[in-house]
Amino acid sequence: MMEILLALIALTGIILWIRSAAQIKDNRARALDIIVIGAILSIVPQFTDSSKSVSIAGVLIFSYGVLVLVSEKFREGAEE
C-alpha cells in the first residue's frame, strides 16, 4: 500500500514538472524532452530486469532537465 502511495506522489510530481516546463517561453522543447526522457529512463528499469545504472542515468538526466527548467523560470522572472 505504501509503495502505491509513493508511486502516486512521484507521478504527481513528474506531471507537475512537465506542466511547468510546458509554460516556459524559451527552450520549452529542450526542457520538456530532457525531463520526459529522464523520467522514462528512471522508471522503466523498475519494471524490467535492467541494471540500476540505467535508472541512475535517468535520474541524472531528469535532474538536468529540472535544472534547465529552474534556470529558464528564473531568467523569465528576472526579465519581468
Side-chain angles (χ1 to χ4, degrees):
M1 181 67 176
M2 186 67 155
E3 292 143 358
I4 295 172
L5 180 64
L6 290 175
L8 286 174
I9 291 171
L11 183 63
T12 304
I14 291 171
I15 289 170
L16 289 175
W17 281 112
I18 290 172
R19 188 170 166 210
S20 181
Q23 295 174 354
I24 60 176
K25 296 176 186 170
D26 296 334
N27 294 327
R28 176 184 306 162
R30 177 181 173 207
L32 274 173
D33 290 345
I34 293 171
I35 289 174
V36 169
I37 290 171
I40 290 171
L41 282 177
S42 62
I43 292 172
V44 167
Q46 296 175 4
F47 298 112
T48 62
D49 293 333
S50 298
S51 66
K52 284 287 189 183
S53 61
V54 175
S55 180
I56 293 170
V59 169
L60 292 174
I61 292 170
F62 181 81
S63 300
Y64 176 69
V66 170
L67 182 67
V68 169
L69 171 66
V70 168
S71 65
E72 287 296 319
K73 285 296 219 179
F74 179 78
R75 192 181 54 74
E76 285 179 8
E79 288 178 356
E80 290 179 4

